Amino acid sequence: MPWFVKIEKGIVDKTIFDQHVPAHKAYVRDLIDRGHRAKTGYWGCLGGGMMLFQANSMTEAEAIVAQDPLVKSGCVKYELYEWRIVVE
């Protein structure tokens, strides 16, 4: 399965953002359980982060991102890319 990366920037106040983090973490755990090998985290300087995951296609990746609680709640703007690994 190809890898995809969602690079995001927070667009709401941190107190609002933090209210949606538990649901986001639960969503990522569900993706892991479903075989998408997802990982999520934030930049050390704060203000944004990244989610790395596998999906069968860009269409499936877009559907996965659309269901992310951080996206659904309007907490982030993001860009989605297929990541083509050159060296493992």
Side-chain angles (χ1 to χ4, degrees), residues 11-78:
I11 57 174
V12 298
D13 184 73
K14 186 175 180 332
T15 57
I16 295 169
F17 185 92
D18 288 349
Q19 293 173 18
H20 299 278
V21 170
H24 169 72
K25 288 180 178 179
Y27 184 66
V28 172
R29 286 185 192 103
D30 180 61
L31 290 175
I32 293 166
D33 291 345
R34 294 182 358 215
H36 293 283
R37 300 178 66 194
K39 301 180 185 331
T40 190
Y42 58 89
W43 311 128
C45 60
L46 302 179
M50 185 175 93
M51 184 171 80
L52 180 67
F53 62 98
Q54 288 185 307
N56 290 310
S57 64
M58 179 59 85
T59 300
E60 182 183 30
E62 289 167 343
I64 287 170
V65 169
Q67 293 304 308
D68 184 331
L70 292 177
V71 172
K72 288 175 74 172
S73 64
C75 289
V76 298
K77 63 180 181 177
Y78 67 90

